[in-house]
Amino acid sequence: MIHYRPVTLDDYAQVRDLMRDCGLEKGAAEESRLRRMIDNADRTVGAFEGERLVGFARALCDEAFNGYIGTLCVHPDFRGRGTGTELVTQLTEDSPEITWALRAGHDSAGFWEKQGFARSDIAMEKTRSR
């Protein structure tokens, strides 16, 4: 049975391992950056099977107008079971007044469209150099 709760720095090792399992090695490579990512997120949620982290999501949100979902990853063995959908719901459901944005990578556009997101013609981005 999957249960959901906020993720904290105490979960660092499991977030790192999950990101690696999900093919996000680059984001998990530098401990100090990954710790800052977890610690500085306004909203985090983890999907746990027992004590094992099998899904993780995080967002930045001003709690007034805009939110940005920066990470969503679900362990490959747990995909297709609604875990990703529930992580998104946990991040966004209490904020119908917020416009949520994200970067849909790894061929995930179809998943995000099922969550109610639409492609945008107004988004701009300045990508990081490392």
Side-chain angles (χ1 to χ4, degrees):
M1 173 145 191
I2 304 288
H3 68 279
Y4 298 84
R5 69 163 172 80
V7 169
T8 69
L9 284 176
D10 292 338
D11 301 305
Y12 163 77
Q14 288 205 74
V15 171
R16 178 200 61 215
D17 294 346
L18 176 64
M19 288 181 69
R20 289 176 179 164
D21 291 343
C22 292
L24 302 172
E25 297 88 354
K26 191 174 181 180
E30 194 175 330
E31 181 175 348
S32 65
R33 286 182 80 187
L34 184 56
R35 285 184 179 277
R36 284 193 317 270
M37 180 197 81
I38 295 167
D39 198 36
N40 291 325
D42 298 310
R43 298 179 181 201
T44 62
V45 63
F48 292 84
E49 182 182 59
E51 296 299 312
R52 178 183 175 207
L53 181 68
V54 298
F56 168 68
R58 70 171 175 105
L60 304 173
C61 186
D62 63 17
E63 302 300 337
F65 296 98
N66 297 301
Y68 171 75
I69 299 174
T71 304
L72 173 67
C73 57
V74 175
H75 190 281
D77 294 344
F78 288 82
R79 292 180 185 158
R81 301 182 189 184
T83 305
T85 296
E86 183 60 25
L87 289 167
V88 173
T89 299
Q90 295 266 332
L91 284 179
T92 64
E93 75 178 336
D94 67 342
S95 304
E97 73 282 5
I98 302 293
T99 296
W100 290 95
L102 57 91
R103 292 172 60 209
H106 302 280
D107 299 320
S108 66
F111 168 82
W112 290 107
E113 289 168 348
K114 289 178 186 173
Q115 308 313 308
F117 287 78
R119 296 177 191 270
S120 173
D121 293 329
I122 61 171
M124 304 290 289
E125 76 176 348
K126 180 179 179 182
T127 57
R128 62 185 175 182
S129 60
R130 61 179 199 114

